[in-house]
Amino acid sequence: MNEYGNLWLVGAGPGDADLLTVRAARLIGEADVIVHDGLVGDGVLALASPGAELRSVEKKRDRHSVPQEQINAMLVDLVRQ
């Protein structure tokens, strides 16, 4: 274990929970915080543990309401917490 937390980038494909790998579903279920974009379906988010914090960055194909640099900084801050 390192001095910080762990960060996993999980691709949800087109957003359907049935298309996730077993590992991706397990990681989502174990996560303390899930940062997700606007393409992730409700079924994927339903796999999160009840205590998980969900943070939407509302990023969609042609609309980036949160700039990527800000998302990157958020991820680094979360891992350090």
Side-chain angles (χ1 to χ4, degrees), residues 1 16-17 20 22 30 35-36 43 45 47-48 51-53 58 73 80:
M1 180 65 93
D16 188 341
L20 292 172
V22 172
E30 294 173 353
V35 178
H36 63 92
L45 297 177
L47 297 173
E53 178 183 349
E58 290 299 319
R80 288 182 172 161

Side-chain angles (χ1 to χ4, degrees), residues 8 13 19 22 26-27 32 39 45-46 53 55 58 61 64 80:
W8 296 96
L19 300 175
V22 172
R26 179 179 54 80
L27 291 170
D32 296 322
L39 301 174
L45 297 177
E53 178 183 349
R55 292 193 183 188
E58 290 299 319
R61 179 185 291 187
H64 297 192
R80 288 182 172 161

Side-chain angles (χ1 to χ4, degrees), residues 1-5 79-80:
M1 180 65 93
N2 61 48
E3 65 182 281
Y4 299 113
V79 169
R80 288 182 172 161

Side-chain angles (χ1 to χ4, degrees), residues 5-77:
N6 294 306
L7 170 71
W8 296 96
L9 295 177
V10 175
D16 188 341
D18 291 340
L19 300 175
L20 292 172
T21 65
V22 172
R23 185 172 188 197
R26 179 179 54 80
L27 291 170
I28 291 168
E30 294 173 353
D32 296 322
V33 180
I34 297 173
V35 178
H36 63 92
D37 63 23
L39 301 174
V40 175
D42 292 337
V44 172
L45 297 177
L47 297 173
S49 69
E53 178 183 349
L54 304 178
R55 292 193 183 188
S56 175
V57 294
E58 290 299 319
K59 185 175 181 176
K60 294 191 178 182
R61 179 185 291 187
D62 295 326
R63 183 174 58 87
H64 297 192
S65 59
V66 179
Q68 188 62 51
E69 295 78 19
Q70 188 175 345
I71 295 169
N72 296 347
M74 178 192 313
L75 294 174
V76 170
D77 288 342

